[in-house]
Amino acid sequence: MLQDNINHNKTVKPNTGFLNDLKEKLPEFFTENKFDEEGNIIEESKFDLEKFQCALKEKNVEELTSGHQLAFIGKDYAKKQAGEHATSVIVPNNDHNNLAENKESKNLFFSGDNLEVLRHLQNNYNNSIDLIYIDPPYNTGSDGFVYPDKFEYSDQALKDMFGMNDEELGRLKTIQGNATHSAWLTFMFPRIWLAKRLLSEKGLMFISIDDNEQANLKLMCDEIFGEVSFVGSIGWESKTKSQNTKTSYDKLQPKIETILVYSTVAINHFNLVVTGEKEYPFKDEKGAYREYTLETMSAEGVRGRGTMVFDIEGIQPPPGKQWKLGKDKIEEYKNKGSLSIRDGKVIIKIRPGEEKSYETEPFWGFFPKSIGTAETAKKELNKLMGNTELFDTVKPSELIKRIVFHATDKNSTVLDFFAGSGTTADAVMQLNANDQGNRRFILVQLPEKTYSLADNGNKVANKGSESPFNAGYSTIDEISRDRVQKASKKIQEEPNIILPEHFDGGFKHYYVVAPDQPTLDDLEAFDFETGLFKDGSGQLRQLSESGFDDMIQPFSSESLQVVGSASGEDTIKTTWLVTDGYKLDMPVENIDLRGYTAFYVDNSRLYLINEHWSSQQTNALLNLIGKNQLSVQTIVMYGYSFGLESIRELEIGLKQLNSKVNLVKRY
């Protein structure tokens, strides 16, 4: 499982991620793999530069006349990070996920390093995110940003990887723990690079930034997305008053923050989809309009009103239901000629002038002041969280709500991998409640501690984090998750909002965690040929160095020191689902093989994780497949749990079946 990725990462070079991307988009410019007689790859495919150059010449492109790129210390290292696979596991918070409000939720919250989460999401959310909004650290010198990623290789390994001399290596290592431009760009580059690959064909990415890194971010995104994919920039007045004082007259203190917008495809920014054209796709003699199919809701409980049950052109709401619009509003639409009946449904024409202006007016250039500022956003958050000040800077929910409205449809998926206070989730839920939408959110937040340890070992509040610590929050992601829950409750209790019946006010929670060093040592020490572990002297031993008698227990939530009551088996299963491209709401069926529990997914894939597999289980499985009682295309087994004889016996049995079944061993 992890060892395969660790071994892969050792082979990754600065251009590996880029070449993989090229191979996916332009496979015609790669040579074929070469195989030996047994089918093993002896030479990987290579990029055919000559063929590519020839293709350019046929387009009459002789040279790049205006090309340039951003250079910074650590760029090769950042590009290498972009090409690496995840070396962490995904631990489900079973205690949270099994609650009634979360059990069927399609929303996701990941607590962990967003670089690792983005690597995982490449497998199951590639080309499927419709909107990404992030508010990354601004590198102001006072926001606490320092380059946090560790150099995981020795000095000699780094020199060999990048062809560095001692001086160049020294320059690279200077970014560790610093807040320089190079450190910030090295931090952001792999995250933006991976995020782009998650966007759908019409996906958009919005990035908030201030003047400290705005120019560098623009150049970096031009390189990652391409200049032709730059949609434009939007101004947001984050402060109501200028920060100029008598003591700072020598420096302009702007009130405006910038939001850069990029698309996955080349786009003419004057024809941006967010101008409102997509909201009103139909036209008649009165102008543009959109269609709304009148919905019903339960007539029971506190929202039930007898006046909402009436006849509309011969149509009544079903028993126990009521219309979501009152008789007066329906009469208004009827008098304007905006109401019709089609296939037994009530259809209403909605025109731009009949909706809130913030929803219909294009926001190109600047957001209006009614969106709110950082100050009003902080008040909004403090009120929601019980008048406790938890963050110094916050984005207003109306700001994100407006972005989501214009850049998505009602079934879109929205990602924010710098979740902070959780504003994006709040905005998505508010908008769904307003327009009966079914948008889903994915949030990622590093579990950064709100405290540090004093010299005497006692916990003390970090600078700027005194209130969160004293309010009972030990990590930032705890605040984010609590805000989402409080926001959901507030929306559902709002008397003037008629919620859609499918309203999703919950979320599934997962920790993304790297195993501890003893477990990593065990992964490295495992001998595939014997099924034993090599100790420090190279001798084979039955037990692992970590003291566990299996390689499942180290991946439980208890062993990984997170909450949630997840077994090691739960963690491995969840991580594998994502690795194999399945969304985390994919149903998993338990299959009993004579007392052994296997996991069946997508009517095609079987996971074998537990120990205690024997000939009895092999025979039971082969019988089910052979008698067409179980359709299996691929069996994935956890190699650490199986003896060599059991593996060979299963391999031989599968070859005797009429249908081909692939056996994949993971370590």
Side-chain angles (χ1 to χ4, degrees), residues 112-155:
D113 179 357
N114 56 16
L115 181 57
E116 277 289 287
V117 176
L118 289 169
R119 286 168 176 160
H120 282 294
L121 294 180
Q122 301 299 304
N123 299 311
N124 62 343
Y125 277 92
N126 188 37
N127 299 324
S128 61
I129 302 293
D130 303 297
L131 167 65
I132 298 176
Y133 170 80
I134 58 171
D135 184 18
Y138 286 179
N139 198 19
T140 62
S142 60
D143 61 0
F145 171 79
V146 294
Y147 182 71
D149 296 334
K150 297 179 180 178
F151 296 123
E152 300 175 355
Y153 304 95
S154 67
D155 288 359

Side-chain angles (χ1 to χ4, degrees), residues 431-640:
L431 190 56
N432 282 341
N434 289 348
D435 68 3
Q436 312 297 301
N438 191 32
R439 301 170 186 85
R440 296 162 297 282
F441 62 77
I442 302 175
L443 264 57
V444 186
Q445 178 56 45
L446 185 71
E448 180 183 354
K449 293 181 178 180
T450 59
Y451 62 84
S452 59
L453 292 178
D455 292 339
N456 59 8
N458 295 324
K459 292 179 180 179
V460 295
N462 286 334
K463 182 180 180 181
S465 303
E466 184 175 355
S467 293
F469 178 61
N470 292 339
Y473 299 105
S474 59
T475 57
I476 298 298
D477 68 306
E478 290 180 12
I479 306 175
S480 308
R481 287 183 276 126
D482 194 32
R483 189 262 177 89
V484 177
Q485 292 170 321
K486 282 182 167 61
S488 175
K489 182 179 179 181
K490 179 177 182 293
I491 292 168
Q492 294 182 68
E493 293 177 349
E494 176 61 51
N496 298 322
I497 294 180
I498 300 177
L499 294 173
E501 293 185 3
H502 54 254
F503 179 75
D504 189 348
F507 60 90
K508 295 284 182 60
H509 179 224
Y510 300 88
Y511 292 96
V512 175
V513 186
D516 58 19
Q517 193 58 48
T519 302
L520 293 174
D521 292 341
D522 287 342
L523 296 175
E524 185 73 28
F526 186 79
D527 184 71
F528 303 131
E529 297 296 327
T530 63
L532 300 175
F533 294 89
K534 292 180 180 179
D535 62 17
S537 62
Q539 298 297 313
L540 294 174
R541 295 165 15 99
Q542 182 70 39
L543 296 179
S544 62
E545 291 288 336
S546 63
F548 291 113
D549 58 3
D550 62 53
M551 286 303 293
I552 298 176
Q553 184 180 354
F555 297 106
S556 67
S557 58
E558 181 181 4
S559 297
L560 293 170
Q561 300 181 21
V562 295
V563 302
S565 304
S567 66
E569 186 180 56
D570 292 333
T571 298
I572 294 170
K573 178 176 61 179
T574 303
T575 305
W576 280 5
L577 284 171
V578 172
T579 298
D580 293 333
Y582 297 115
K583 301 291 193 297
L584 286 169
D585 59 358
M586 171 62 69
V588 178
E589 180 183 353
N590 291 356
I591 302 293
D592 179 66
L593 299 172
R594 296 189 182 178
Y596 181 100
T597 302
F599 304 104
Y600 189 49
V601 184
D602 199 26
N603 294 319
S604 63
R605 185 173 291 258
L606 195 69
Y607 292 131
L608 308 179
I609 301 174
N610 289 316
E611 294 186 309
H612 312 302
W613 182 276
S614 68
S615 297
Q616 287 186 340
Q617 282 73 41
T618 298
N619 293 333
L621 177 58
L622 294 176
N623 282 333
L624 286 175
I625 299 175
K627 294 178 180 179
N628 296 321
Q629 295 175 347
L630 190 68
S631 175
V632 178
Q633 297 177 2
T634 302
I635 297 174
V636 184
M637 64 164 46
Y638 190 51
Y640 301 104

